[in-house]
Amino acid sequence: MARGRTRGPSPLPERAARLWRTLGAAFVVLVFVPPLLLLVAGSLTEPGLPPSPTPQLVPDPLSTTGYQRALDLGGLLRAAFNSVLVAVLAVPLSVLVASLAGFALARLTRRTAAVVVAASLVALMVPATALLVPRFAIFRFLGLTDTLVPLIAPALLGSSPLYVLVYYLAFRAVPTDLYDACQLADLSPLRTWWRVALPLVRPVTGALTALTFVLTWSNFLDPLIYVYDRDLFTLPLALRSLSLLDPTNFPVFLAGAVIATVPALVVFALAQRRFLRYDDRSEG
C-alpha cells in the first residue's frame, strides 16, 4: 500500500500573481516609456533651431543648453523648493488624517458607518471646480491668499474622501478578533491604530502616499488661483511660463518638464519596490 504524501499549497496562485505583475509591468513600459524617451530626447535638442518635422530619439547635436536656460529663465530651483515644501508638509499630513478617519470609521457601528460612507460618496460626486469660489472666499477673508497655506490646508481634511474610504476598507479587512484582543490588552484606540492596524495596511499607506505626492506635485489649478508672487510659484506654474516661449526654444520647456517629472518617477519607483518586497514576504 502506497503511503500518502502530504502536498503543500499549489504554486499556481503564486505563478498567476507573478504573471499578472509581469503583464502589468510590460503594459506600463509600453505605454509610458516611449513618451518619456521622446521627452528626454526633446530636452537634449539644441535651443534656437527649427523644430524637427519628425521625432528624434537621438538629437543631433546633443545639447544640455535647454536645462541651463530652463533653470535661469523659469526660476525652477526656487519653484522646486516651493513644491518640495508643499509636498513635505501636505503628503504626510494628508495620509495621517485619512488613516485616522478611516480607522475611526471602521470602528463605528455598521449603520452609522453606512451613513458616513454614503455622505463621503456624495462628496466625491461634487466637482472640484464647484468648490473653487467658496474656498477662495474663505482663504481671502482669512488673508491667506498669495501664500502656500491654501495648497497645504486640504491635507487637514485628508485631501479627498476617497483616501478615507480606502483606509476604511483596509481597516475593515483586519480581523475583528485582533481588535478585540487589543481591547482585552487595554490598548487605547490611538495605540491600536498606531501599533496594530496601521502596520497591517502598509501597502495601502504606500499607494496613497505615492498618489498624494504625485497629485500634490503636479497641482496646477490651486497655485494658479491662490499664488501671485513669482517667488512662491510651484513647478507647474514655472513650467507654464516656459511654455510661452517661441517654438525654437521648445527644448527649454521640455527640459523643465523633465526636471519636474523626475521626482514623481522616483516616488513611484520606490513605492513599487516596497510593494514587491511586501509581496515576496507574503508569499514567503
Side-chain angles (χ1 to χ4, degrees):
M1 181 175 179
R3 295 182 179 179
R5 289 181 296 178
T6 303
R7 295 184 180 180
S10 173
L12 291 179
E14 295 181 7
R15 292 179 182 177
R18 290 178 182 176
L19 177 62
W20 280 112
R21 284 202 299 265
T22 303
L23 292 176
F27 175 78
V28 170
V29 169
L30 291 176
V31 172
F32 291 101
V33 169
L36 289 174
L37 291 177
L38 292 176
L39 176 64
V40 174
S43 68
L44 294 174
T45 304
E46 179 70 29
L49 298 178
S52 174
T54 58
Q56 296 180 347
L57 287 179
V58 182
D60 186 21
L62 287 173
S63 175
T64 58
T65 307
Y67 289 90
Q68 299 173 3
R69 292 188 183 178
L71 294 175
D72 294 337
L73 298 176
L76 294 187
L77 288 179
R78 180 68 183 179
F81 174 79
N82 294 331
S83 292
V84 169
L85 179 62
V86 172
V88 166
L89 295 176
V91 174
L93 185 60
S94 177
V95 174
L96 179 67
V97 172
S99 63
L100 282 170
F103 179 75
L105 186 59
R107 302 307 298 148
L108 294 175
T109 60
R110 288 186 176 272
R111 184 173 299 178
T112 305
V115 173
V116 178
V117 169
S120 301
L121 293 176
V122 172
L124 282 173
M125 296 178 188
V126 178
T129 52
L131 304 176
L132 291 178
V133 173
R135 285 175 58 188
F136 179 82
I138 292 173
F139 286 125
R140 184 161 189 178
F141 176 77
L142 296 175
L144 296 176
T145 54
D146 203 19
T147 67
L148 297 178
V149 174
L151 310 184
I152 303 172
L156 296 172
L157 301 176
S159 293
S160 172
L162 176 63
Y163 299 167
V164 178
L165 293 178
V166 170
Y167 266 117
Y168 163 71
L169 294 176
F171 288 132
R172 278 290 301 273
V174 176
T176 308
D177 295 341
L178 194 57
Y179 292 133
D180 295 338
C182 292
Q183 289 182 350
L184 293 176
D186 202 21
L187 288 179
S188 66
L190 192 61
R191 285 188 177 181
T192 302
W193 162 76
W194 177 252
R195 296 176 58 181
V196 178
L198 198 59
L200 293 176
V201 296
R202 284 178 184 171
V204 174
T205 300
L208 290 183
T209 299
L211 178 61
T212 307
F213 175 84
V214 172
L215 294 179
T216 303
W217 186 262
S218 61
N219 187 6
F220 172 74
L221 187 59
D222 287 343
L224 181 65
I225 294 173
Y226 298 114
V227 177
Y228 320 123
D229 187 356
R230 189 174 182 83
D231 290 337
L232 296 176
F233 277 11
T234 55
L235 271 176
L237 284 184
L239 285 178
R240 178 175 176 268
S241 63
L242 290 178
S243 67
L244 301 177
L245 296 174
D246 59 274
T248 59
N249 285 316
F250 200 62
V252 179
F253 170 71
L254 295 181
V258 171
I259 295 174
T261 304
V262 167
L265 292 178
V266 171
V267 169
F268 265 121
L270 293 177
Q272 179 67 15
R273 188 175 180 184
R274 293 295 297 270
F275 294 155
L276 292 179
R277 252 190 220 169
Y278 185 85
D279 288 344
D280 291 341
R281 287 182 201 165
S282 300
E283 293 174 2

PDB file of all heavy atoms in Angstrom, residues 226-248:
ATOM      1  N   TYR A 226      -4.349  80.837  -6.135  1.00  0.00           N
ATOM      2  CA  TYR A 226      -4.007  81.436  -4.843  1.00  0.00           C
ATOM      3  C   TYR A 226      -2.652  82.134  -4.810  1.00  0.00           C
ATOM      4  O   TYR A 226      -2.415  82.937  -3.897  1.00  0.00           O
ATOM      5  CB  TYR A 226      -4.024  80.353  -3.753  1.00  0.00           C
ATOM      6  CG  TYR A 226      -5.363  79.709  -3.563  1.00  0.00           C
ATOM      7  CD1 TYR A 226      -5.559  78.358  -3.862  1.00  0.00           C
ATOM      8  CD2 TYR A 226      -6.446  80.428  -3.086  1.00  0.00           C
ATOM      9  CE1 TYR A 226      -6.787  77.751  -3.685  1.00  0.00           C
ATOM     10  CE2 TYR A 226      -7.681  79.832  -2.911  1.00  0.00           C
ATOM     11  CZ  TYR A 226      -7.847  78.495  -3.211  1.00  0.00           C
ATOM     12  OH  TYR A 226      -9.063  77.905  -3.042  1.00  0.00           O
ATOM     13  N   VAL A 227      -1.754  81.828  -5.718  1.00  0.00           N
ATOM     14  CA  VAL A 227      -0.383  82.338  -5.635  1.00  0.00           C
ATOM     15  C   VAL A 227      -0.153  83.345  -6.754  1.00  0.00           C
ATOM     16  O   VAL A 227      -0.408  83.035  -7.931  1.00  0.00           O
ATOM     17  CB  VAL A 227       0.643  81.178  -5.737  1.00  0.00           C
ATOM     18  CG1 VAL A 227       2.056  81.730  -5.724  1.00  0.00           C
ATOM     19  CG2 VAL A 227       0.441  80.196  -4.590  1.00  0.00           C
ATOM     20  N   TYR A 228       0.326  84.547  -6.397  1.00  0.00           N
ATOM     21  CA  TYR A 228       0.595  85.599  -7.373  1.00  0.00           C
ATOM     22  C   TYR A 228       2.065  86.017  -7.387  1.00  0.00           C
ATOM     23  O   TYR A 228       2.568  86.475  -8.405  1.00  0.00           O
ATOM     24  CB  TYR A 228      -0.273  86.838  -7.084  1.00  0.00           C
ATOM     25  CG  TYR A 228      -1.681  86.496  -6.664  1.00  0.00           C
ATOM     26  CD1 TYR A 228      -2.199  86.942  -5.458  1.00  0.00           C
ATOM     27  CD2 TYR A 228      -2.490  85.697  -7.478  1.00  0.00           C
ATOM     28  CE1 TYR A 228      -3.485  86.620  -5.072  1.00  0.00           C
ATOM     29  CE2 TYR A 228      -3.782  85.370  -7.093  1.00  0.00           C
ATOM     30  CZ  TYR A 228      -4.275  85.834  -5.883  1.00  0.00           C
ATOM     31  OH  TYR A 228      -5.538  85.508  -5.497  1.00  0.00           O
ATOM     32  N   ASP A 229       2.733  85.882  -6.256  1.00  0.00           N
ATOM     33  CA  ASP A 229       4.141  86.254  -6.165  1.00  0.00           C
ATOM     34  C   ASP A 229       4.995  85.206  -6.878  1.00  0.00           C
ATOM     35  O   ASP A 229       4.872  84.013  -6.608  1.00  0.00           O
ATOM     36  CB  ASP A 229       4.548  86.362  -4.695  1.00  0.00           C
ATOM     37  CG  ASP A 229       5.951  86.916  -4.522  1.00  0.00           C
ATOM     38  OD1 ASP A 229       6.647  87.161  -5.538  1.00  0.00           O
ATOM     39  OD2 ASP A 229       6.370  87.115  -3.365  1.00  0.00           O
ATOM     40  N   ARG A 230       5.860  85.656  -7.780  1.00  0.00           N
ATOM     41  CA  ARG A 230       6.674  84.716  -8.553  1.00  0.00           C
ATOM     42  C   ARG A 230       7.606  83.904  -7.655  1.00  0.00           C
ATOM     43  O   ARG A 230       7.947  82.772  -7.983  1.00  0.00           O
ATOM     44  CB  ARG A 230       7.479  85.475  -9.608  1.00  0.00           C
ATOM     45  CG  ARG A 230       8.187  84.551 -10.589  1.00  0.00           C
ATOM     46  CD  ARG A 230       8.862  85.311 -11.706  1.00  0.00           C
ATOM     47  NE  ARG A 230       9.480  84.404 -12.648  1.00  0.00           N
ATOM     48  CZ  ARG A 230       8.855  83.799 -13.651  1.00  0.00           C
ATOM     49  NH1 ARG A 230       7.563  84.030 -13.840  1.00  0.00           N
ATOM     50  NH2 ARG A 230       9.475  82.974 -14.466  1.00  0.00           N
ATOM     51  N   ASP A 231       8.016  84.468  -6.533  1.00  0.00           N
ATOM     52  CA  ASP A 231       8.890  83.733  -5.625  1.00  0.00           C
ATOM     53  C   ASP A 231       8.176  82.575  -4.942  1.00  0.00           C
ATOM     54  O   ASP A 231       8.830  81.716  -4.346  1.00  0.00           O
ATOM     55  CB  ASP A 231       9.448  84.677  -4.554  1.00  0.00           C
ATOM     56  CG  ASP A 231      10.445  85.673  -5.136  1.00  0.00           C
ATOM     57  OD1 ASP A 231      11.024  85.378  -6.200  1.00  0.00           O
ATOM     58  OD2 ASP A 231      10.635  86.744  -4.527  1.00  0.00           O
ATOM     59  N   LEU A 232       6.851  82.546  -5.012  1.00  0.00           N
ATOM     60  CA  LEU A 232       6.076  81.458  -4.408  1.00  0.00           C
ATOM     61  C   LEU A 232       5.553  80.465  -5.437  1.00  0.00           C
ATOM     62  O   LEU A 232       4.800  79.559  -5.090  1.00  0.00           O
ATOM     63  CB  LEU A 232       4.896  82.036  -3.615  1.00  0.00           C
ATOM     64  CG  LEU A 232       5.248  82.892  -2.406  1.00  0.00           C
ATOM     65  CD1 LEU A 232       3.990  83.467  -1.773  1.00  0.00           C
ATOM     66  CD2 LEU A 232       6.042  82.096  -1.372  1.00  0.00           C
ATOM     67  N   PHE A 233       5.946  80.651  -6.699  1.00  0.00           N
ATOM     68  CA  PHE A 233       5.487  79.732  -7.748  1.00  0.00           C
ATOM     69  C   PHE A 233       5.955  78.317  -7.453  1.00  0.00           C
ATOM     70  O   PHE A 233       7.076  78.095  -6.979  1.00  0.00           O
ATOM     71  CB  PHE A 233       6.015  80.165  -9.112  1.00  0.00           C
ATOM     72  CG  PHE A 233       5.197  81.235  -9.774  1.00  0.00           C
ATOM     73  CD1 PHE A 233       4.210  81.911  -9.084  1.00  0.00           C
ATOM     74  CD2 PHE A 233       5.416  81.583 -11.095  1.00  0.00           C
ATOM     75  CE1 PHE A 233       3.449  82.896  -9.677  1.00  0.00           C
ATOM     76  CE2 PHE A 233       4.667  82.564 -11.716  1.00  0.00           C
ATOM     77  CZ  PHE A 233       3.680  83.230 -11.004  1.00  0.00           C
ATOM     78  N   THR A 234       5.085  77.349  -7.748  1.00  0.00           N
ATOM     79  CA  THR A 234       5.480  75.949  -7.723  1.00  0.00           C
ATOM     80  C   THR A 234       5.908  75.533  -9.138  1.00  0.00           C
ATOM     81  O   THR A 234       5.791  76.319 -10.081  1.00  0.00           O
ATOM     82  CB  THR A 234       4.324  75.070  -7.236  1.00  0.00           C
ATOM     83  OG1 THR A 234       3.172  75.308  -8.060  1.00  0.00           O
ATOM     84  CG2 THR A 234       3.970  75.391  -5.788  1.00  0.00           C
ATOM     85  N   LEU A 235       6.369  74.301  -9.270  1.00  0.00           N
ATOM     86  CA  LEU A 235       6.897  73.866 -10.570  1.00  0.00           C
ATOM     87  C   LEU A 235       5.878  73.933 -11.704  1.00  0.00           C
ATOM     88  O   LEU A 235       6.228  74.358 -12.807  1.00  0.00           O
ATOM     89  CB  LEU A 235       7.460  72.451 -10.442  1.00  0.00           C
ATOM     90  CG  LEU A 235       8.936  72.360 -10.043  1.00  0.00           C
ATOM     91  CD1 LEU A 235       9.342  70.903  -9.858  1.00  0.00           C
ATOM     92  CD2 LEU A 235       9.820  73.025 -11.062  1.00  0.00           C
ATOM     93  N   PRO A 236       4.614  73.538 -11.498  1.00  0.00           N
ATOM     94  CA  PRO A 236       3.669  73.664 -12.609  1.00  0.00           C
ATOM     95  C   PRO A 236       3.501  75.092 -13.105  1.00  0.00           C
ATOM     96  O   PRO A 236       3.389  75.324 -14.316  1.00  0.00           O
ATOM     97  CB  PRO A 236       2.362  73.116 -12.015  1.00  0.00           C
ATOM     98  CG  PRO A 236       2.809  72.157 -10.974  1.00  0.00           C
ATOM     99  CD  PRO A 236       4.027  72.778 -10.382  1.00  0.00           C
ATOM    100  N   LEU A 237       3.500  76.069 -12.198  1.00  0.00           N
ATOM    101  CA  LEU A 237       3.393  77.466 -12.622  1.00  0.00           C
ATOM    102  C   LEU A 237       4.657  77.922 -13.336  1.00  0.00           C
ATOM    103  O   LEU A 237       4.590  78.681 -14.315  1.00  0.00           O
ATOM    104  CB  LEU A 237       3.122  78.366 -11.413  1.00  0.00           C
ATOM    105  CG  LEU A 237       1.698  78.356 -10.856  1.00  0.00           C
ATOM    106  CD1 LEU A 237       1.581  79.365  -9.723  1.00  0.00           C
ATOM    107  CD2 LEU A 237       0.692  78.657 -11.940  1.00  0.00           C
ATOM    108  N   ALA A 238       5.814  77.475 -12.854  1.00  0.00           N
ATOM    109  CA  ALA A 238       7.056  77.832 -13.526  1.00  0.00           C
ATOM    110  C   ALA A 238       7.105  77.237 -14.930  1.00  0.00           C
ATOM    111  O   ALA A 238       7.576  77.884 -15.877  1.00  0.00           O
ATOM    112  CB  ALA A 238       8.254  77.359 -12.697  1.00  0.00           C
ATOM    113  N   LEU A 239       6.612  76.012 -15.085  1.00  0.00           N
ATOM    114  CA  LEU A 239       6.570  75.407 -16.415  1.00  0.00           C
ATOM    115  C   LEU A 239       5.614  76.167 -17.336  1.00  0.00           C
ATOM    116  O   LEU A 239       5.855  76.252 -18.543  1.00  0.00           O
ATOM    117  CB  LEU A 239       6.134  73.947 -16.311  1.00  0.00           C
ATOM    118  CG  LEU A 239       7.180  72.961 -15.781  1.00  0.00           C
ATOM    119  CD1 LEU A 239       6.583  71.569 -15.699  1.00  0.00           C
ATOM    120  CD2 LEU A 239       8.407  72.959 -16.665  1.00  0.00           C
ATOM    121  N   ARG A 240       4.555  76.706 -16.787  1.00  0.00           N
ATOM    122  CA  ARG A 240       3.621  77.478 -17.613  1.00  0.00           C
ATOM    123  C   ARG A 240       4.315  78.698 -18.213  1.00  0.00           C
ATOM    124  O   ARG A 240       4.084  79.045 -19.374  1.00  0.00           O
ATOM    125  CB  ARG A 240       2.431  77.920 -16.765  1.00  0.00           C
ATOM    126  CG  ARG A 240       1.422  78.787 -17.523  1.00  0.00           C
ATOM    127  CD  ARG A 240       0.221  79.078 -16.648  1.00  0.00           C
ATOM    128  NE  ARG A 240      -0.708  79.975 -17.311  1.00  0.00           N
ATOM    129  CZ  ARG A 240      -0.676  81.302 -17.189  1.00  0.00           C
ATOM    130  NH1 ARG A 240       0.250  81.874 -16.433  1.00  0.00           N
ATOM    131  NH2 ARG A 240      -1.563  82.044 -17.820  1.00  0.00           N
ATOM    132  N   SER A 241       5.187  79.336 -17.452  1.00  0.00           N
ATOM    133  CA  SER A 241       5.907  80.482 -18.001  1.00  0.00           C
ATOM    134  C   SER A 241       6.872  80.052 -19.099  1.00  0.00           C
ATOM    135  O   SER A 241       7.075  80.782 -20.076  1.00  0.00           O
ATOM    136  CB  SER A 241       6.674  81.208 -16.883  1.00  0.00           C
ATOM    137  OG  SER A 241       7.668  80.359 -16.310  1.00  0.00           O
ATOM    138  N   LEU A 242       7.458  78.854 -18.972  1.00  0.00           N
ATOM    139  CA  LEU A 242       8.353  78.370 -20.021  1.00  0.00           C
ATOM    140  C   LEU A 242       7.583  77.962 -21.273  1.00  0.00           C
ATOM    141  O   LEU A 242       8.129  78.018 -22.383  1.00  0.00           O
ATOM    142  CB  LEU A 242       9.162  77.173 -19.505  1.00  0.00           C
ATOM    143  CG  LEU A 242      10.225  77.460 -18.436  1.00  0.00           C
ATOM    144  CD1 LEU A 242      10.902  76.168 -18.008  1.00  0.00           C
ATOM    145  CD2 LEU A 242      11.260  78.456 -18.936  1.00  0.00           C
ATOM    146  N   SER A 243       6.325  77.557 -21.108  1.00  0.00           N
ATOM    147  CA  SER A 243       5.546  77.142 -22.276  1.00  0.00           C
ATOM    148  C   SER A 243       5.206  78.317 -23.189  1.00  0.00           C
ATOM    149  O   SER A 243       4.773  78.103 -24.326  1.00  0.00           O
ATOM    150  CB  SER A 243       4.248  76.459 -21.821  1.00  0.00           C
ATOM    151  OG  SER A 243       3.393  77.387 -21.171  1.00  0.00           O
ATOM    152  N   LEU A 244       5.396  79.545 -22.706  1.00  0.00           N
ATOM    153  CA  LEU A 244       5.093  80.726 -23.516  1.00  0.00           C
ATOM    154  C   LEU A 244       6.246  81.123 -24.428  1.00  0.00           C
ATOM    155  O   LEU A 244       6.122  82.094 -25.187  1.00  0.00           O
ATOM    156  CB  LEU A 244       4.739  81.912 -22.599  1.00  0.00           C
ATOM    157  CG  LEU A 244       3.544  81.692 -21.656  1.00  0.00           C
ATOM    158  CD1 LEU A 244       3.340  82.897 -20.761  1.00  0.00           C
ATOM    159  CD2 LEU A 244       2.285  81.397 -22.456  1.00  0.00           C
ATOM    160  N   LEU A 245       7.374  80.392 -24.359  1.00  0.00           N
ATOM    161  CA  LEU A 245       8.500  80.700 -25.232  1.00  0.00           C
ATOM    162  C   LEU A 245       8.162  80.351 -26.683  1.00  0.00           C
ATOM    163  O   LEU A 245       7.240  79.577 -26.959  1.00  0.00           O
ATOM    164  CB  LEU A 245       9.739  79.913 -24.779  1.00  0.00           C
ATOM    165  CG  LEU A 245      10.276  80.252 -23.377  1.00  0.00           C
ATOM    166  CD1 LEU A 245      11.411  79.293 -23.010  1.00  0.00           C
ATOM    167  CD2 LEU A 245      10.759  81.702 -23.307  1.00  0.00           C
ATOM    168  N   ASP A 246       8.929  80.897 -27.612  1.00  0.00           N
ATOM    169  CA  ASP A 246       8.673  80.627 -29.025  1.00  0.00           C
ATOM    170  C   ASP A 246       9.045  79.179 -29.356  1.00  0.00           C
ATOM    171  O   ASP A 246       9.778  78.521 -28.608  1.00  0.00           O
ATOM    172  CB  ASP A 246       9.478  81.594 -29.904  1.00  0.00           C
ATOM    173  CG  ASP A 246      10.966  81.483 -29.645  1.00  0.00           C
ATOM    174  OD1 ASP A 246      11.466  82.155 -28.713  1.00  0.00           O
ATOM    175  OD2 ASP A 246      11.630  80.710 -30.349  1.00  0.00           O
ATOM    176  N   PRO A 247       8.546  78.647 -30.485  1.00  0.00           N
ATOM    177  CA  PRO A 247       8.769  77.226 -30.815  1.00  0.00           C
ATOM    178  C   PRO A 247      10.233  76.827 -30.918  1.00  0.00           C
ATOM    179  O   PRO A 247      10.573  75.666 -30.660  1.00  0.00           O
ATOM    180  CB  PRO A 247       8.058  77.062 -32.157  1.00  0.00           C
ATOM    181  CG  PRO A 247       7.018  78.136 -32.169  1.00  0.00           C
ATOM    182  CD  PRO A 247       7.629  79.295 -31.430  1.00  0.00           C
ATOM    183  N   THR A 248      11.112  77.745 -31.292  1.00  0.00           N
ATOM    184  CA  THR A 248      12.525  77.373 -31.403  1.00  0.00           C
ATOM    185  C   THR A 248      13.147  77.099 -30.030  1.00  0.00           C
ATOM    186  O   THR A 248      14.201  76.469 -29.953  1.00  0.00           O
ATOM    187  CB  THR A 248      13.310  78.478 -32.108  1.00  0.00           C
ATOM    188  OG1 THR A 248      13.194  79.696 -31.366  1.00  0.00           O
ATOM    189  CG2 THR A 248      12.791  78.687 -33.524  1.00  0.00           C
TER     190      THR A 248
END
